[in-house]
């Protein structure tokens, strides 16, 4: 079984709940915890472990050979990310941090003026927490902007272990509703959205429940820090999306 612990808003205690669920479930079944919050993975800190078995994630990007470039603009036009920008009368400028590494520009440049470069944009880790609990962590290199490929790589690594050794995979997603969060959620049988009784908590809960509905993933809600504010909006939003409130954790 694969399920996700998610939440539209950061700082609601999502990782605390994911790690505690992982520990509890691992007393009965082999469990994998995937920390897909790649910009700020902290499950290993909550579990008091250092990350182990590092695997680098690389991407390619182009660099322009200014001696060969004829300023034809073909690479500028083909780039789906807008990572190559034309400067009149000069070779284009490449913003490598927003390059997705799709490789299209290399095929488009007939003057062989693009040099293929490679750099590490993140890492995945496999850390053994206990005999029955493994943790896969994705981590984006500081200064890099593309979380999506790191999430995919971490998920792939988790699924490798899952199919071979485990029966429960818990995906701890990052906050928000970005394409990285959607990639983390895909394949989950259900998702638990963690929220708190504040106006922002209710607003962001609605966003994540809406995304889960689009992905056809059944949703449940945990209200953390009950007592810090009224729950009316949380109840309204949960009811609107048919998401059952399965737990309340007092402040
Ligand atoms: S496609 Fe090649 S030659 Fe044309 S502008 Fe780009 S790098 Fe220069
Ligand atoms: S590899 Fe793809 S995304 Fe990167 S600069 Fe070339 S066309 Fe753009």
């Amino acid at each position: 079984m694969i399920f996700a612990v998610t939440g539209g808003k950061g700082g609601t205690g999502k990782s605390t709940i994911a790690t505690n669920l992982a520990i509890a479930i691992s007393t009965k079944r082999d469990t994998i915890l995937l920390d897909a919050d790649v910009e700020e993975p902290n499950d290993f800190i909550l579990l008091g472990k250092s990350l182990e078995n590092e695997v680098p994630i690389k991407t390619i990007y182009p660099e322009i050979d200014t001696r060969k470039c004829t300023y034809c603009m073909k690479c500028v036009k083909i780039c789906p990310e807008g990572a190559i920008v034309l400067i009149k009368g000069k070779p284009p400028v490449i913003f490598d941090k927003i390059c997705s590494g799709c490789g299209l520009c290399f095929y488009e440049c007939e003057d062989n003026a693009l040099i293929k470069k490679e750099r590490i944009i993140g890492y995945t880790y496999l850390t053994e927490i206990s005999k029955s609990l493994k943790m896969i962590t994705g981590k984006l290199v500081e200064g890099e902007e593309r979380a999506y490929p790191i999430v995919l790589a971490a998920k792939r690594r988790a699924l490798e272990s899952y199919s071979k050794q485990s029966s429960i995979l818990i995906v701890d997603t990052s906050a928000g509703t970005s394409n990285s969060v959607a990639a983390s959620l895909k394949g989950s049988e259900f998702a638990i959205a963690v929220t708190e009784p504040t106006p922002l908590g209710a607003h962001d809960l609605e966003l994540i429940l809406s995304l889960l509905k689009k992905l056809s993933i059944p949703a449940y809600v945990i209200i953390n820090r009950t007592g810090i504010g009224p729950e009316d909006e949380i109840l309204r939003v949960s009811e609107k999306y048919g998401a059952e409130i399965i737990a309340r954790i007092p402040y």
Side-chain angles (χ1 to χ4, degrees):
M1 178 197 285
I2 302 175
F3 74 90
V5 180
T6 189
K9 182 180 175 302
T12 55
K14 180 180 56 59
S15 292
T16 306
I17 289 169
T19 48
N20 277 290
L21 279 173
I23 290 168
I25 292 170
S26 69
T27 60
K28 307 275 182 214
R29 304 272 290 273
D30 281 348
T31 304
I32 294 169
L33 172 64
L34 166 59
D35 190 350
D37 191 356
V38 302
E39 286 176 63
E40 220 172 330
N42 64 0
D43 289 0
F44 72 101
I45 299 169
L46 294 170
L47 291 166
K49 287 278 181 179
S50 299
L51 295 174
E52 296 164 4
N53 300 303
E54 179 179 276
V55 174
I57 312 299
K58 294 176 183 170
T59 189
I60 56 159
Y61 65 96
E63 205 173 85
I64 294 188
D65 184 339
T66 51
R67 293 164 308 166
K68 293 184 181 171
C69 179
T70 56
Y71 316 163
C72 73
M73 271 183 62
K74 283 184 182 165
C75 58
V76 177
K77 287 182 191 153
I78 196 82
C79 178
E81 305 291 341
I84 311 181
V85 176
L86 180 76
I87 297 182
K88 217 176 170 188
K90 289 187 176 174
V93 171
I94 295 169
F95 293 92
D96 60 326
K97 291 287 161 63
I98 54 173
C99 164
S100 68
C102 72
L104 283 173
C105 54
F106 297 105
Y107 292 105
E108 199 67 2
C109 180
E110 289 167 4
D111 298 293
N112 207 18
L114 291 174
I115 305 157
K116 208 174 268 182
K117 294 281 185 176
E118 200 178 68
R119 71 172 189 280
I120 294 172
I121 54 169
Y123 299 91
T124 63
Y125 301 84
L126 193 164
T127 310
E128 196 160 301
I129 306 298
S130 69
K131 219 165 166 251
S132 57
L133 176 57
K134 288 187 175 63
M135 179 178 63
I136 306 291
T137 306
K139 195 172 184 191
L140 187 70
V141 165
E142 218 178 306
E144 291 291 343
E145 292 172 16
R146 299 184 60 83
Y148 186 75
I150 311 303
V151 169
L152 289 188
K155 196 163 183 187
R156 238 181 349 256
R157 198 167 177 191
L159 286 171
E160 277 166 20
S161 299
Y162 170 69
S163 55
K164 287 183 194 136
Q165 302 153 15
S166 183
S167 50
I168 304 277
L169 169 56
I170 303 171
V171 183
D172 180 14
T173 78
S174 62
T177 52
S178 64
N179 61 350
S180 302
V181 174
S184 309
L185 289 168
K186 274 182 192 160
S188 298
E189 285 179 39
F190 64 91
I192 299 168
V194 182
T195 187
E196 60 183 22
T198 60
L200 190 56
H203 173 266
D204 290 351
L205 177 66
E206 179 143 24
L207 295 180
I208 191 70
L209 291 181
S210 166
L211 175 64
L212 289 166
K213 191 177 175 193
K214 277 186 202 137
L215 296 171
S216 303
I217 298 172
Y220 298 91
V221 173
I222 290 180
I223 309 177
N224 198 8
R225 302 193 185 102
T226 56
I228 64 168
E231 292 181 11
D232 314 24
E233 265 306 285
I234 301 288
L235 299 180
R236 184 193 66 75
V237 170
S238 302
E239 197 176 331
K240 179 177 168 187
Y241 288 91
E244 186 187 342
I245 295 168
I246 52 170
R248 285 182 167 80
I249 303 170
Y251 183 56

